[in-house]
């Protein structure tokens, strides 16, 4: 019996709420934590998190993305779905054990890690929680309402714990634990709740080997992605100081918040795109892809420019005056919001559902190699700014490689983006707010006034120029308001 198809609009709404919670949590806590822990304290946690991410990557083995695709393809058959989940979970448990063995040796024998062993042990809990969480199953089934409610609950608990337990610089271990709790502890509920969707009994006829080759490709993708996502903090930690890691982390944190907003639609569309490809609904596949790319350009472009203009105010508000070293890295890294938004669609939503995950792998390997080379050349002399330049160029390389393969497919979709209208709207909104920097309102007030005015003018300019997607969203909102009355 076929599983009831979830409303795509509801999925988008719930994932948007989930995304908002993901940036509201650090938006509330990071201004407090960064001032209490200082760049050194936040740098220690950022380095530990980045270091542990490599062991988590080994434990996950590419299953988080592969699992969404393969489970989405069989989600209409409970027995096939259960069998697939059992097979993937078995593989996941084996790699988790191997990952922990490797981590124990690393903590014992690497001098850089020995001073903060409690921190690494605490942060490593995320490896187990991610493995039992089976987030890929819930995304394949498009259970975004459940994912959102569960995530917000644990983030709220983490928010309270942050203010109760973190009071001075030495509390950075508590900060690491609370961060992991807020983002990963809800995976325990996933494990408990899984019986609603799959059989827990032994089914038999398991085919572990058929997953190993595709998982291997996704694992290689995960290696490449993790390297060029986390290598900056790791290389900074080994080549410079904890303070430099803290500066870079403050800039990356703001970028990550913006990226999560921009990529929220793509996360929702992956299982739907895989479903369309599996059932030969090619026209529907290209329709949602084209719309997603338009959404990315409309949202990422103004965010990128705004936070380049108001980088100082954003950094000082979120992290404090002691993070002046984060301003230039943030300005350098901001264009990656648009680059990641595009590659999230071209890679995750187009290439992977089409079964071309090797192309995504090649693009990420190219990006990782470029990132490591540039970091090695620039970090010794430019520290966090050099790391930001490496990340920017790496993301550009990923985009170029994916575009070369997609050729006509991606360019056909890109034709629907109204670039001139977007550029004009950004220029008009930029002119409307630049004068605010001349007044000494304070960082928070400056950000509130400038952001409200900037995005209001941007949206109004697009509406007046009749940008189709903006007009469609506006009409839907007006229609719902009238219906509510």
């Amino acid at each position: 019996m076929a599983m009831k198809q979830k409303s795509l609009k509801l999925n988008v709404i719930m994932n948007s709420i989930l995304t908002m919670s993901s940036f509201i949590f650090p938006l509330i806590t990071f201004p407090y934590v960064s001032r209490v822990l200082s760049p050194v304290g936040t740098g220690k946690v950022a380095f530990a998190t980045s270091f542990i991410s490599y062991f988590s990557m080994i434990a996950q083995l590419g299953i988080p993305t592969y699992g969404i695709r393969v489970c989405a393809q069989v989600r209409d058959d409970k027995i096939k779905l259960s069998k697939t989940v059992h097979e993937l979970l078995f593989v996941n448990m084996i790699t988790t054990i191997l990952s922990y063995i490797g981590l124990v040796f690393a903590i014992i024998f690497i001098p850089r890690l020995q001073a903060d062993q409690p921190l690494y042990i605490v942060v490593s809990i995320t490896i187990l929680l991610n493995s039992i969480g089976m987030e890929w199953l819930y995304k394949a089934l498009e259970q975004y309402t459940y994912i959102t409610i569960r995530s917000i609950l644990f983030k709220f608990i983490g928010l309270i714990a942050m203010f109760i337990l973190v009071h001075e610089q030495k509390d950075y271990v508590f900060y690491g634990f609370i961060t992991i709790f807020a983002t990963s502890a809800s995976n325990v509920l996933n494990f408990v709740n899984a019986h609603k969707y799959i059989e827990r009994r032994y089914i038999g006829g398991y085919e572990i080997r058929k997953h190993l080759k595709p998982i291997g490709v996704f694992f290689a993708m995960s290696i490449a992605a993790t390297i060029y996502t986390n290598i900056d903090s790791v290389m900074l930690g080994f080549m410079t100081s904890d303070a430099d890691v803290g500066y870079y982390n403050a800039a990356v944190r703001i970028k990550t918040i913006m990226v999560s907003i921009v990529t929220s639609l793509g996360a929702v569309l992956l299982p739907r795109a895989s479903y369309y490809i599996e059932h030969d609904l090619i026209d529907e596949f290209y329709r949602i892809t084209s719309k997603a790319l338009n959404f990315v350009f409309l949202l990422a472009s103004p965010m990128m420019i705004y936070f380049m203009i108001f980088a100082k105010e954003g950094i000082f508000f979120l992290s404090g005056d002691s993070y002046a070293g984060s301003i230039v890295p943030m300005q350098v890294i901001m264009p990656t919001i648009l680059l990641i938004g595009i590659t999230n669609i071209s890679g995750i939503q187009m290439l992977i559902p089409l079964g071309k995950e090797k192309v995504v792998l090649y693009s990420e390997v190219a990006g990782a190699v470029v990132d490591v080379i540039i970091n090695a050349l620039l970090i010794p002399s430019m520290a966090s700014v050099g790391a930001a330049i490496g990340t920017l160029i790496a993301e550009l390389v990923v985009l170029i490689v994916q575009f070369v393969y997609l050729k006509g497919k991606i360019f056909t979709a890109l034709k629907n983006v109204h670039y001139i209208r977007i550029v004009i709207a950004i220029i008009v909104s930029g002119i409307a707010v630049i004068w605010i920097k001349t007044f000494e309102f304070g960082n928070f007030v400056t950000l509130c006034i400038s952001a409200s005015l900037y995005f209001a003018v941007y949206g109004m300019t697009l509406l007046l120029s009749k940008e189709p997607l903006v007009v469609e969203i506006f009409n839907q909102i007006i229609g719902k308001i009238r219906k509510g009355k």
Side-chain angles (χ1 to χ4, degrees):
M1 183 176 176
M3 180 173 291
K4 184 179 178 181
Q5 187 101 319
K6 298 285 181 180
S7 165
L8 191 57
K9 287 183 180 178
L10 175 62
N11 289 343
V12 172
I13 291 170
M14 295 312 296
N15 200 55
S16 297
I17 295 172
L18 177 63
T19 301
M20 288 175 64
S21 73
S22 297
F23 75 78
I24 288 174
F25 175 71
L27 198 62
I28 295 172
T29 59
F30 197 67
Y32 170 75
V33 168
S34 60
R35 287 165 174 80
V36 172
L37 299 184
S38 79
V40 174
T42 58
K44 285 179 181 291
V45 177
F47 178 76
T49 303
S50 295
F51 185 80
I52 295 296
S53 69
Y54 291 101
F55 293 90
S56 182
M57 167 198 69
I58 294 170
Q60 292 298 290
L61 205 67
I63 291 175
T65 305
Y66 171 72
I68 296 175
R69 189 182 76 177
V70 74
C71 288
Q73 292 171 348
V74 297
R75 67 185 184 184
D76 291 339
D77 187 319
K78 187 174 183 179
I79 297 300
K80 287 184 178 179
L81 177 63
S82 301
K83 184 168 171 286
T84 300
V85 173
H86 292 179
E87 291 163 350
L88 294 181
L89 192 58
F90 174 78
V91 175
N92 216 166
M93 287 299 101
I94 296 299
T95 53
T96 297
I97 293 170
L98 295 174
S99 180
Y100 271 113
I101 292 172
L103 179 60
V104 168
F105 279 100
I107 293 176
I108 292 174
F109 293 109
I110 298 178
R112 175 73 170 79
L113 310 181
Q114 291 171 359
D116 285 314
Q117 283 187 7
L119 176 63
Y120 292 95
I121 293 170
V122 164
V123 176
S124 72
I125 296 172
T126 190
I127 299 173
L128 175 62
L129 293 176
N130 287 341
S131 296
I132 67 172
M134 299 179 289
E135 191 89 350
W136 36 270
L137 168 63
Y138 292 88
K139 289 183 177 179
L141 299 178
E142 301 187 43
Q143 295 293 324
Y144 285 96
T145 301
Y146 162 75
I147 292 172
T148 300
I149 294 173
R150 177 217 65 185
S151 178
I152 290 175
L153 174 63
F154 278 83
K155 283 183 172 65
F156 181 72
I157 296 172
L159 175 66
I160 296 172
M162 192 76 74
F163 291 110
I164 293 175
L165 298 176
V166 180
H167 297 293
E168 48 189 326
Q169 186 172 333
K170 68 179 182 179
D171 293 335
Y172 63 86
V173 177
F174 286 132
Y175 171 55
F177 172 78
I178 294 167
T179 301
I180 298 306
F181 176 87
T183 56
S184 302
S186 57
N187 286 336
V188 175
L189 292 184
N190 284 8
F191 188 76
V192 174
N193 200 47
H195 71 91
K196 294 181 180 179
Y197 309 104
I198 62 171
E199 299 283 351
R200 284 188 169 176
R201 63 182 174 84
Y202 179 83
I203 294 175
Y206 294 120
E207 302 173 88
I208 303 293
R209 295 181 66 179
K210 76 174 184 180
H211 298 294
L212 298 182
K213 185 176 180 181
I215 283 177
V217 175
F218 280 98
F219 178 49
M221 286 168 50
S222 179
I223 292 174
T226 303
I227 287 175
Y228 82 79
T229 301
N230 297 286
I231 196 65
D232 308 307
S233 294
V234 173
M235 292 182 73
L236 276 169
F238 278 112
M239 299 172 72
T240 56
S241 66
D242 286 328
D244 284 309
V245 179
Y247 294 142
Y248 185 71
N249 179 58
V252 169
R253 187 171 290 268
I254 295 176
K255 182 213 77 170
T256 302
I257 292 171
M258 299 303 109
V259 167
S260 67
I261 297 172
V262 172
T263 58
S264 61
L265 184 64
V268 170
L269 294 179
L270 173 58
R272 186 62 57 89
S274 298
Y275 185 88
Y276 286 152
I277 292 296
E278 180 70 12
H279 293 81
D280 294 322
L281 301 171
I282 303 301
D283 291 340
E284 284 297 303
F285 170 74
Y286 283 114
R287 182 185 65 80
I288 63 170
T289 297
S290 180
K291 210 163 190 177
L293 277 169
N294 196 20
F295 173 85
V296 165
F297 273 92
L298 284 169
L299 200 57
S301 303
M303 284 183 178
M304 172 183 73
I305 300 300
Y306 175 81
F307 283 99
M308 290 175 74
I309 296 173
F310 291 94
K312 185 182 81 170
E313 291 78 7
I315 288 292
F316 283 1
F317 167 64
L318 281 178
S319 306
D321 296 351
S322 61
Y323 285 78
S326 302
I327 296 172
V328 176
M330 177 173 165
Q331 291 173 322
V332 171
I333 211 170
M334 276 298 111
T336 62
I337 296 174
L338 179 59
L339 298 177
I340 295 173
I342 298 171
T343 53
N344 183 66
I345 302 300
S346 61
I348 303 300
Q349 192 190 312
M350 294 185 73
L351 289 168
I352 288 178
L354 288 168
K356 305 296 182 183
E357 54 267 13
K358 285 187 178 180
V359 178
V360 181
L361 168 61
Y362 300 149
S363 69
E364 292 179 344
V365 168
V369 171
V370 169
D371 198 17
V372 170
I373 292 172
I374 294 176
N375 283 345
L377 293 173
L378 299 184
I379 284 178
S381 59
M382 302 177 71
S384 55
V385 176
I389 294 172
T391 297
L392 175 60
I393 297 176
E395 295 293 354
L396 184 60
V397 168
V398 173
L399 179 67
I400 291 171
V401 173
Q402 292 184 6
F403 268 37
V404 167
Y405 178 82
L406 283 169
K407 295 178 183 176
K409 295 184 182 73
I410 191 74
F411 289 116
T412 299
L414 287 171
K415 286 179 181 177
N416 294 320
V417 180
H418 299 89
Y419 304 101
I420 296 177
R421 294 176 187 176
I422 293 174
V423 170
I424 292 173
I426 289 174
I427 292 173
V428 172
S429 54
I431 293 172
V433 299
I434 193 69
W435 58 273
I436 296 175
K437 290 179 72 70
T438 61
F439 294 90
E440 297 183 1
F441 290 131
N443 297 318
F444 178 70
V445 175
T446 297
L447 288 170
C448 288
I449 295 174
S450 62
S452 300
L453 182 59
Y454 179 88
F455 289 103
V457 171
Y458 175 75
M460 189 60 65
T461 305
L462 289 173
L463 195 60
L464 292 174
S465 66
K466 297 182 179 180
E467 201 289 323
L469 185 55
V470 174
V471 171
E472 179 186 336
I473 295 171
F474 179 77
N475 288 336
Q476 287 180 353
I477 294 173
I478 295 299
K480 288 185 177 180
I481 292 175
R482 289 174 177 171
K483 191 178 292 185
K485 293 181 178 179

